Amino acid sequence: MRARKSDFLEEIAVSIDYWVDTVAEAMTDPSADLIWVDEQEPYQRLQKVFENSELNNDDLKKVIAECLRGFTVSVLTAIDGGTALAEKGRVYLVDDAGNNLGEGLHDDFVSHLLETGRLRE
Protein backbone atom coordinates (compact mmCIF):
# COMPACT_ATOMS: atom_id res chain seq x y z
CA MET A 1 0.00 0.00 0.00
CA ARG A 2 1.40 3.34 -1.03
CA ALA A 3 1.25 6.45 1.15
CA ARG A 4 -0.96 9.07 -0.42
CA LYS A 5 -0.77 12.81 -0.03
CA SER A 6 -4.00 12.77 1.97
CA ASP A 7 -2.48 10.23 4.39
CA PHE A 8 0.51 12.50 4.90
CA LEU A 9 -1.67 15.58 5.44
CA GLU A 10 -3.86 13.74 7.94
CA GLU A 11 -0.76 12.54 9.81
CA ILE A 12 0.36 16.16 10.16
CA ALA A 13 -3.11 17.27 11.28
CA VAL A 14 -3.30 14.53 13.92
CA SER A 15 0.16 15.53 15.18
CA ILE A 16 -0.96 19.14 15.49
CA ASP A 17 -4.06 18.03 17.39
CA TYR A 18 -1.89 16.01 19.78
CA TRP A 19 0.61 18.82 20.38
CA VAL A 20 -2.12 21.43 20.90
CA ASP A 21 -3.60 19.31 23.69
CA THR A 22 -0.21 18.39 25.16
CA VAL A 23 1.18 21.92 25.23
CA ALA A 24 -2.06 23.44 26.55
CA GLU A 25 -2.12 20.90 29.36
CA ALA A 26 1.55 21.51 30.15
CA MET A 27 0.95 25.24 30.35
CA THR A 28 -2.21 25.13 32.47
CA ASP A 29 -2.24 21.97 34.60
CA PRO A 30 0.14 21.90 37.59
CA SER A 31 -0.19 18.10 37.68
CA ALA A 32 0.90 17.72 34.04
CA ASP A 33 3.86 15.42 33.39
CA LEU A 34 6.62 17.69 32.07
CA ILE A 35 9.21 14.99 31.53
CA TRP A 36 9.22 15.71 27.78
CA VAL A 37 10.22 19.39 28.07
CA ASP A 38 13.80 20.67 28.14
CA GLU A 39 13.11 23.27 30.82
CA GLN A 40 10.20 22.81 33.22
CA GLU A 41 10.47 26.19 34.94
CA PRO A 42 8.85 28.27 32.17
CA TYR A 43 5.91 25.86 32.07
CA GLN A 44 5.55 26.00 35.84
CA ARG A 45 5.54 29.81 35.74
CA LEU A 46 2.89 29.77 33.02
CA GLN A 47 0.80 27.32 35.04
CA LYS A 48 0.73 29.85 37.88
CA VAL A 49 -0.26 32.64 35.50
CA PHE A 50 -3.13 30.59 34.08
CA GLU A 51 -4.20 29.45 37.54
CA ASN A 52 -4.49 33.06 38.69
CA SER A 53 -6.16 34.48 35.61
CA GLU A 54 -9.38 34.40 33.69
CA LEU A 55 -7.67 32.99 30.62
CA ASN A 56 -9.16 29.71 29.52
CA ASN A 57 -7.76 26.52 28.05
CA ASP A 58 -9.85 26.75 24.86
CA ASP A 59 -8.41 30.14 23.96
CA LEU A 60 -4.92 28.83 24.58
CA LYS A 61 -5.56 25.82 22.35
CA LYS A 62 -6.77 28.08 19.54
CA VAL A 63 -3.59 30.15 19.73
CA ILE A 64 -1.30 27.12 19.82
CA ALA A 65 -3.18 25.46 16.93
CA GLU A 66 -2.88 28.59 14.81
CA CYS A 67 0.85 28.81 15.49
CA LEU A 68 1.42 25.15 14.62
CA ARG A 69 -0.70 25.41 11.47
CA GLY A 70 1.25 28.49 10.41
CA PHE A 71 4.55 26.74 11.02
CA THR A 72 3.39 23.69 9.08
CA VAL A 73 2.24 25.80 6.13
CA SER A 74 5.65 27.51 6.16
CA VAL A 75 7.49 24.19 6.01
CA LEU A 76 5.23 22.85 3.29
CA THR A 77 5.64 26.09 1.32
CA ALA A 78 9.42 25.58 1.45
CA ILE A 79 8.95 22.02 0.13
CA ASP A 80 6.67 23.40 -2.60
CA GLY A 81 9.40 25.80 -3.73
CA GLY A 82 7.63 28.92 -2.53
CA THR A 83 10.48 30.36 -0.47
CA ALA A 84 14.00 31.66 -1.09
CA LEU A 85 15.26 28.11 -0.57
CA ALA A 86 14.05 27.33 -4.11
CA GLU A 87 16.77 29.61 -5.47
CA LYS A 88 19.33 27.16 -4.07
CA GLY A 89 17.39 24.06 -5.09
CA ARG A 90 14.17 22.22 -4.45
CA VAL A 91 13.32 19.70 -1.78
CA TYR A 92 10.80 17.02 -2.75
CA LEU A 93 8.63 14.78 -0.64
CA VAL A 94 8.51 11.26 -2.07
CA ASP A 95 7.06 7.94 -0.95
CA ASP A 96 9.10 4.77 -0.47
CA ALA A 97 8.79 3.96 -4.19
CA GLY A 98 10.22 7.35 -5.13
CA ASN A 99 6.90 8.84 -6.26
CA ASN A 100 6.58 12.58 -5.65
CA LEU A 101 3.64 13.39 -3.37
CA GLY A 102 3.03 16.38 -5.59
CA GLU A 103 3.06 20.12 -5.65
CA GLY A 104 0.87 22.50 -3.70
CA LEU A 105 1.30 20.74 -0.37
CA HIS A 106 0.74 23.93 1.61
CA ASP A 107 -2.55 24.68 -0.18
CA ASP A 108 -3.63 21.06 0.04
CA PHE A 109 -2.90 21.05 3.77
CA VAL A 110 -5.15 24.07 4.35
CA SER A 111 -7.84 22.42 2.22
CA HIS A 112 -7.49 19.24 4.28
CA LEU A 113 -7.93 21.21 7.50
CA LEU A 114 -11.06 22.84 6.10
CA GLU A 115 -12.47 19.52 4.87
CA THR A 116 -11.89 17.80 8.22
CA GLY A 117 -13.37 20.66 10.23
CA ARG A 118 -10.09 21.59 11.91
CA LEU A 119 -10.15 25.04 10.30
CA ARG A 120 -13.03 27.32 9.51
CA GLU A 121 -13.21 29.74 6.59
Side-chain angles (χ1 to χ4, degrees):
M1 178 181 221
R2 195 176 97 177
R4 300 174 310 194
K5 185 190 297 190
S6 61
D7 297 326
F8 174 66
L9 299 176
E10 178 62 11
E11 186 73 21
I12 294 171
V14 167
S15 292
I16 288 174
D17 294 342
Y18 169 81
W19 282 106
V20 165
D21 290 340
T22 300
V23 172
E25 178 186 8
M27 292 173 67
T28 60
D29 183 356
S31 67
D33 183 1
L34 299 177
I35 195 163
W36 59 272
V37 303
D38 289 334
E39 295 182 43
Q40 293 186 7
E41 293 80 15
Y43 288 87
Q44 292 163 342
R45 286 192 296 273
L46 285 168
Q47 290 167 356
K48 288 178 184 171
V49 168
F50 277 97
E51 185 176 62
N52 298 320
S53 76
E54 294 182 17
L55 298 171
N56 71 51
N57 202 332
D58 289 338
D59 288 340
L60 178 60
K61 285 182 176 185
K62 289 175 185 175
V63 170
I64 295 168
E66 187 167 38
C67 292
L68 291 176
R69 286 191 308 263
F71 174 74
T72 301
V73 168
S74 296
V75 170
L76 294 174
T77 300
I79 293 170
D80 284 337
T83 67
L85 174 64
E87 295 174 15
K88 297 178 182 181
R90 288 284 310 272
V91 175
Y92 293 93
L93 189 62
V94 298
D95 65 16
D96 56 353
N99 300 306
N100 187 345
L101 287 185
E103 302 292 323
L105 292 169
H106 69 287
D107 288 329
D108 291 340
F109 180 64
V110 172
S111 294
H112 181 79
L113 294 175
L114 288 166
E115 290 167 9
T116 60
R118 290 180 173 98
L119 185 64
R120 291 177 278 165
E121 290 186 73

